């Protein structure tokens, strides 16, 4: 008869996500994971696989938590352009705040892991594709409602905002100047006028 798990895999995955997000992939050891999760090494391997497998599962969980919120915020009924503006401004405020040093788990992965890990790179690309698609849809809706000029390219604008937002997250990790981030966001948003 198989033994029942003596821990909550979802809570353990969330704890792993938090640890990887705080320290990064390379700076997190299996010993760190055992300590933070409060789970034996053998149980981690049996449930999640090796450290890399656990990292990818944590990355997937992050997307499961964040992506629906972005979609909800961008697909509310009514005017669409204010939702796009609010999202970009929120990125700038969060990145410029005290929590900004932690960064975004997707951006952290893009910088640290994705350049040499195809599985991580695919997850980063999928997350950014998701955000770009959600923003493009919102901008198309804004255009159809007369909020965005007919000659504007919603996909190109969404791509510009995506790149800006991810750059804001990178700069926010090291910059002590929140004004820099807010000014950049404001200039990009002026293109929507």
């Amino acid at each position: 008869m198989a033994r029942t798990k003596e821990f909550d895999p979802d809570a353990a995955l969330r704890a792993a996500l938090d640890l990887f997000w705080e320290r990064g992939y390379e700076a997190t050891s299996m010993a760190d994971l055992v300590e933070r999760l409060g789970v034996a090494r053998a149980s981690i391997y049996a449930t999640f696989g090796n450290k890399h497998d656990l990292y990818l599962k944590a990355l997937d969980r992050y997307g499961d938590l964040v992506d629906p919120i972005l979609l909800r915020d961008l697909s509310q009924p009514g005017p669409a352009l204010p939702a796009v503006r609010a999202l970009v401004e929120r990125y700038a405020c969060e990145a410029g705040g005290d929590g900004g040093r932690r960064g975004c788990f997707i951006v952290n992965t893009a910088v640290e892991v994705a350049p040499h890990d195809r599985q991580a790179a695919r997850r980063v690309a999928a997350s950014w594709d998701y955000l770009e698609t959600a923003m493009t849809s919102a901008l198309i809706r804004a255009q159809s409602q007369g909020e965005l000029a007919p000659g504007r390219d919603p996909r190109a604008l969404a791509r510009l905002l995506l790149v800006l937002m991810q750059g804001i997250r990178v700069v926010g990790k090291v910059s002590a100047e929140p004004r820099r981030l807010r000014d950049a966001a404001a200039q990009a948003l002026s293109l929507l006028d």
Side-chain angles (χ1 to χ4, degrees):
M1 182 185 312
R3 290 182 54 195
T4 58
K5 292 199 185 308
E6 298 173 5
F7 67 96
D8 178 355
D10 288 331
L13 182 56
R14 182 56 201 235
L17 165 59
D18 288 340
L19 183 61
F20 283 129
W21 194 356
E22 288 168 19
R23 295 188 183 171
Y25 179 76
E26 293 298 330
T28 301
S29 68
M30 278 305 289
D32 296 330
L33 288 162
V34 166
E35 182 180 330
R36 175 69 67 93
L37 277 58
V39 176
R41 184 183 299 254
S43 294
I44 292 174
Y45 284 121
T47 304
F48 302 109
N50 62 27
K51 175 181 146 181
H52 183 257
D53 295 335
L54 178 54
Y55 185 82
L56 295 176
K57 285 176 174 71
L59 197 54
D60 291 340
R61 174 58 56 90
Y62 181 81
D64 292 344
L65 295 170
V66 173
D67 289 348
I69 295 168
L70 294 173
L71 183 60
R72 180 201 68 208
D73 291 349
L74 290 170
S75 60
Q76 296 292 320
L81 208 50
V84 173
R85 289 180 182 285
L87 180 65
V88 174
E89 289 167 351
R90 187 174 82 219
Y91 266 62
C93 287
E94 287 174 0
D98 292 337
R101 302 291 182 264
R102 186 176 188 190
C104 164
F105 192 43
I106 296 293
V107 172
N108 294 352
T109 298
V111 173
E112 179 193 9
V113 182
H116 57 277
D117 183 325
R118 278 188 280 174
Q119 292 174 302
R122 278 196 297 272
R123 284 165 169 82
V124 169
S127 176
W128 289 346
D129 288 345
Y130 184 92
L131 178 55
E132 179 184 316
T133 300
M135 286 195 301
T136 300
S137 295
L139 290 168
I140 288 170
R141 204 170 84 244
Q143 199 167 48
S144 72
Q145 296 173 166
E147 302 168 66
L148 183 65
R152 306 310 305 261
D153 180 344
R155 178 160 305 280
L157 286 169
R159 288 180 171 165
L160 169 84
L161 294 175
L162 170 74
V163 170
L164 171 85
M165 291 161 60
Q166 303 320 307
I168 281 173
R169 295 283 173 122
V170 172
V171 173
K173 285 184 66 73
V174 295
S175 177
E177 277 191 63
R179 185 81 190 157
R180 173 182 288 155
L181 305 176
R182 288 193 306 268
D183 286 351
Q187 286 303 306
L189 290 173
S190 72
L191 297 172
L192 301 178
D193 295 333

